[in-house]
């Protein structure tokens, strides 16, 4: 029997493994277990690192969310434009309707923008963001190709925006600058990138504004204005009319601000009663006007609290008329003294408009271009006291004195307005309000000063404001006359068409599309 056969027999002789063989097997098993644990620990470590990277936002931030002309757009950058578009839409609706177009507390992806197509608000905001990003890219490329440099006003605006990034977070209640940046521009945004994007947007906007200024020097032919008027006479004509509003409304809170408990049936019954009363009051007033009585302030005072609002012989262009009765007002058969009772259902309130038509014409009266500095009385929110009005007047006079002691030019007034006016809407443009007319809707004192027939360029003065949202005193500067309001509307239409053509040429050849990283957008 060979030696090898003998060893084999010993391994299978029923006595089991030798001590050495058992030791070797244990070592092998231990080594295998160690390798398994090493692999598991390695996987866990990698997973932990990936989780840390994910939580840091690096993957989402750097993902390709879109492309513009084949160039990568990160999620962070698209989120920046998404937030800007979101805020722009919110501000537009708040200014026009006093309320947001959607529920800000809910995901936009779950809210319908277009009932016909089913498009969500998220999709609409995203499309707007991508379009704005593409346009800015094209504008900046063209500006750089032409060697365009930021204007002085554009640089000042950019510097102020960056200053707000650096210092504004504390006053807004944020714990840090980075927290403010993320809340404003998205969870993946960094300070340095925010500055770069703001610089890009500012250059694009400034470049476009410079082209608009060039377009404003265009001299359009008279026959173009004639054609435009003939096609849009209903919107361009000025209508003179009186209007009294009777409103039906059911209070939801008592005098102390506490909710009034009502069932749906009780609320419906209360609204029906309020509507019946308001309509009866409206019908009674219309009957008096049809009988030949003239609407006066004494009559409005007599009607008292039954009237929600009343205006006597106001002027409005057709484009400014209330759509509830604009078609009636524009009827070619309309004649002075005609009245109507128009109804508006606002859901939680119901308006009855008693309207008396007094006249219609193409108003050729020149408009006024003015600059102003609004000095708020008090904090600009509560109704000011007389003492606060007096303090505001003193500050306004001090600003006027400061201007008169300096260069006393329109440019120096504009600079003073940009630094001191409480009217944010015009301050950024040096306090300029162009095209003031009788139908502009400004408070009477402001409008009367601007439209005074004796006014000449360079005139200044002080005007008290007791009627707008921010009350106080205006420092006024008369810049000069402008075209009639209808002609300004026509000119703006021509400019808009010309600008749209120019913008189209700037965008020519630029293509953009969404990519997979867009799924990381906060919405």
């Amino acid at each position: 029997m060979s030696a090898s056969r003998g060893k084999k027999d010993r391994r299978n002789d029923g006595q089991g493994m030798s001590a050495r063989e058992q030791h070797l097997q244990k070592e092998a098993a231990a080594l295998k277990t160690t390798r398994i644990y090493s692999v598991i620990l390695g996987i866990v470590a990698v997973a932990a690192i990936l989780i840390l990277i994910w939580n840091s936002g690096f993957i989402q931030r750097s993902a390709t969310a879109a492309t513009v002309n084949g160039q990568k757009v990160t999620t962070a950058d698209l989120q920046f434009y998404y937030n800007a578009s979101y805020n722009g839409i919110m501000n537009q609706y708040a200014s026009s309707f006093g309320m947001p177009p959607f529920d800000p507390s809910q995901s936009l992806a779950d809210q319908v923008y277009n009932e016909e197509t089913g498009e969500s608000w998220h999709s609409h905001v995203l499309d707007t963001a991508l379009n704005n990003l593409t346009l800015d890219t094209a504008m900046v490329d063209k500006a750089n190709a032409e060697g365009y440099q930021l204007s002085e006003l554009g640089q000042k605006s950019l510097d102020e925006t960056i200053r707000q990034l650096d210092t504004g977070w504390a006053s807004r209640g944020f714990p840090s600058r980075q927290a403010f940046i993320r809340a404003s521009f998205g969870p993946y945004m960094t300070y340095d990138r925010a500055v770069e994007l703001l610089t890009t947007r500012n250059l694009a906007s400034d470049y476009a504004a410079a082209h608009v200024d060039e377009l404003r020097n265009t001299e359009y032919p008279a026959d173009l204005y004639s054609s435009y008027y003939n096609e849009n006479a209903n919107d361009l004509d000025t209508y003179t009319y009186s209007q009294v509003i009777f409103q039906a409304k059911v209070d939801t809170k008592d005098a102390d601000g506490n909710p009034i408990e009502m069932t749906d049936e009780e609320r419906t019954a209360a609204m029906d009663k309020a509507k019946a009363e308001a309509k009866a009051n409206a019908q009674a007033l219309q009957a008096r006007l049809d009988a030949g009585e003239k609407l006066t302030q004494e009559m409005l005072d007599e009607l008292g609290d039954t009237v929600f609002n009343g205006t006597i012989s106001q002027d409005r262009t057709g484009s400014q008329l209330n759509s509830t009765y604009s078609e009636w007002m524009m009827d070619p058969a309309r004649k002075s003294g005609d009245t109507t009772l128009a109804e508006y259902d606002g859901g939680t309130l119901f308006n009855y408009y008693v309207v008396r038509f007094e006249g219609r014409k193409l108003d050729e009266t020149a408009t006024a271009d003015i600059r102003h500095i609004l000095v708020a009385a008090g904090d600009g929110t509560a109704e000011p006291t007389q003492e606060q009005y007096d303090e505001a007047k003193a500050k306004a006079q001090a600003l006027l004195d400061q201007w008169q002691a300096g260069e006393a030019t329109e440019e120096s007034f504009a600079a003073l307005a940009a630094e001191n006016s409480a009217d944010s809407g015009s301050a950024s443009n040096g306090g300029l309000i162009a095209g003031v007319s009788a139908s502009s809707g400004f408070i009477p004192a402001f409008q009367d000063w601007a439209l005074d027939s004796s006014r000449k360029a360079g005139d200044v003065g002080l005007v008290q404001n007791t009627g707008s949202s921010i009350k106080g005193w205006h420092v006024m500067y008369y810049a000069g006359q402008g075209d009639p309001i209808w002609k300004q509307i026509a000119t703006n239409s021509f400019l808009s068409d010309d600008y749209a053509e120019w913008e189209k040429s700037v965008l020519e050849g630029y293509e953009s599309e969404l990519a997979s990283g867009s799924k990381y957008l906060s919405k």
Side-chain angles (χ1 to χ4, degrees):
M1 181 171 62
S2 69
S4 60
R5 175 64 182 273
K7 291 180 180 179
K8 181 178 179 182
D9 289 344
R10 284 195 297 274
R11 286 198 296 272
N12 296 284
D13 60 3
Q15 299 299 318
M17 291 184 290
S18 65
R20 173 168 164 55
E21 288 174 326
Q22 292 178 18
H23 176 70
L24 291 174
Q25 188 181 51
K26 288 179 180 180
E27 284 188 343
L31 179 60
K32 181 178 180 181
T33 301
T34 301
R35 287 174 177 169
I36 292 172
Y37 280 133
S38 296
V39 171
I40 293 173
L41 290 174
I43 293 173
V44 171
V46 170
I49 293 172
L50 289 175
I51 290 172
L52 289 174
I53 294 174
W54 181 269
N55 289 339
S56 72
F58 177 80
I59 294 176
Q60 305 95 312
R61 178 189 307 119
S62 305
T64 301
T67 58
V68 176
N69 272 15
Q71 297 297 310
K72 170 185 174 181
V73 177
T74 66
T75 306
D77 287 5
L78 187 56
Q79 184 78 64
F80 175 94
Y81 275 86
Y82 185 95
N83 284 20
S85 299
Y86 176 98
N87 292 330
I89 291 170
M90 287 286 282
N91 292 336
Q92 176 187 353
Y93 273 78
S95 175
S96 301
F97 307 109
M99 63 182 67
F102 45 72
D103 184 352
S105 67
Q106 302 295 321
S107 171
L108 298 191
D110 299 328
Q111 301 184 64
V112 177
Y113 164 71
N114 189 318
E115 294 289 347
E116 293 183 3
T117 64
E119 180 185 10
S120 69
W121 268 104
H122 167 66
S123 178
H124 173 66
V125 174
L126 184 54
D127 285 346
T128 303
L130 187 57
N131 290 338
N132 289 340
L133 169 61
T134 305
L135 180 59
D136 280 1
T137 302
M139 288 284 186
V140 169
D141 286 349
K142 190 169 180 61
N144 289 334
E146 295 176 0
Y148 180 83
Q149 299 293 320
L150 266 181
S151 67
E152 182 178 348
L153 185 60
Q155 186 63 55
K156 182 178 180 180
S157 175
L158 177 61
D159 292 342
E160 175 59 22
T161 300
I162 294 175
R163 188 188 70 79
Q164 287 293 328
L165 280 188
D166 290 333
T167 63
W169 55 270
S171 62
R172 289 172 170 82
F174 288 91
S176 66
R177 183 180 71 180
Q178 186 58 30
F180 172 54
I181 287 172
R182 287 177 176 171
S184 301
F185 308 123
Y188 314 125
M189 186 53 62
T190 64
Y191 171 81
D192 290 341
R193 187 55 183 159
V195 170
E196 291 174 355
L197 290 171
L198 288 169
T199 302
T200 295
R201 293 215 74 184
N202 196 274
L203 177 58
S205 176
D206 197 65
Y207 177 68
H211 185 71
V212 171
D213 287 340
E214 292 178 10
L215 289 175
R216 291 190 188 283
N217 295 323
T218 304
E219 291 287 341
Y220 296 105
D223 60 344
L224 186 61
Y225 284 100
S226 297
S227 297
Y228 187 85
Y229 172 73
N230 290 333
E231 295 171 4
N232 300 277
N234 280 344
D235 288 335
L236 297 177
D237 278 351
T238 295
Y239 299 77
T240 303
Y241 64 101
S242 296
Q243 167 188 276
V244 180
I245 306 174
F246 297 86
Q247 187 174 93
K249 183 179 179 182
V250 177
D251 292 329
T252 58
K253 294 183 180 180
D254 60 24
D256 297 323
N258 300 314
I260 298 175
E261 298 295 334
M262 299 178 71
T263 65
D264 291 342
E265 291 76 10
E266 289 172 336
R267 190 174 303 281
T268 298
M271 176 58 84
D272 288 343
K273 179 181 178 182
K275 287 168 62 177
E277 292 175 353
K279 187 171 185 177
N281 290 329
Q283 290 172 329
L285 175 61
Q286 184 182 19
R288 293 175 64 179
L289 297 179
D290 287 342
E293 286 193 60
K294 184 178 180 180
L295 182 65
T296 62
Q297 186 59 50
E298 289 74 14
M299 184 184 292
L300 291 176
D301 293 340
E302 172 194 328
L303 294 171
D305 292 340
T306 63
V307 171
F308 174 72
N309 179 267
T311 52
I312 301 172
S313 296
Q314 63 181 334
D315 291 328
R316 290 289 184 271
T317 59
S319 60
Q320 297 174 312
L321 292 177
N322 189 318
S323 60
T324 306
Y325 50 76
S326 58
E327 185 175 351
W328 174 86
M329 190 86 77
M330 294 175 180
D331 189 332
R334 194 63 49 229
K335 60 184 185 298
S336 180
D338 286 353
T339 67
T340 190
L341 174 55
E343 303 178 2
Y344 169 75
D345 184 356
T348 57
L349 58 84
F350 208 96
N351 283 346
Y352 295 89
Y353 299 92
V354 177
V355 183
R356 184 179 187 275
F357 180 84
E358 295 167 16
R360 169 180 176 171
K361 66 179 180 179
L362 176 62
D363 191 351
E364 295 282 8
T365 306
T367 57
D369 295 341
I370 64 98
R371 294 184 185 272
H372 77 120
I373 303 170
L374 174 58
V375 179
D379 61 6
T381 57
E383 181 66 32
T385 63
Q386 185 57 50
E387 181 180 1
Q388 289 172 327
Y389 272 122
D390 292 342
E391 290 174 356
K393 184 179 183 181
K395 291 178 182 178
Q397 184 63 56
L399 287 170
L400 180 56
D401 293 342
Q402 177 185 338
W403 174 77
Q404 290 175 324
E407 297 177 358
T409 63
E410 182 175 351
E411 290 73 19
S412 64
F413 191 96
L416 201 63
E419 295 174 1
N420 295 278
S421 183
D423 178 13
S424 59
S426 65
S428 61
N429 197 26
L432 178 64
I433 298 180
V436 179
S437 72
S439 60
S440 294
F442 293 107
I443 62 169
F446 184 100
Q447 200 160 281
D448 291 346
W449 189 95
L451 297 177
D452 188 329
S453 60
S454 66
R455 196 70 60 215
K456 60 184 183 297
D459 282 357
V460 292
L462 300 183
V463 169
Q464 187 175 13
N465 181 341
T466 60
S468 63
S469 57
I470 300 179
K471 300 174 177 61
W473 280 82
H474 296 275
V475 185
M476 306 288 288
Y477 178 93
Y478 187 79
Q481 284 189 345
D483 286 332
I485 191 65
W486 80 267
K487 196 170 184 179
Q488 289 191 18
I489 294 172
T491 300
N492 287 336
S493 177
F494 304 153
L495 288 174
S496 179
D497 290 343
D498 288 348
Y499 179 83
E501 284 298 316
W502 175 75
E503 186 178 279
K504 182 179 178 181
S505 70
V506 171
L507 279 168
E508 188 174 352
Y510 281 78
E511 296 182 357
S512 59
E513 61 180 2
L514 294 173
S516 60
S518 61
K519 65 177 176 289
Y520 298 130
L521 291 174
S522 298
K523 48 185 180 292

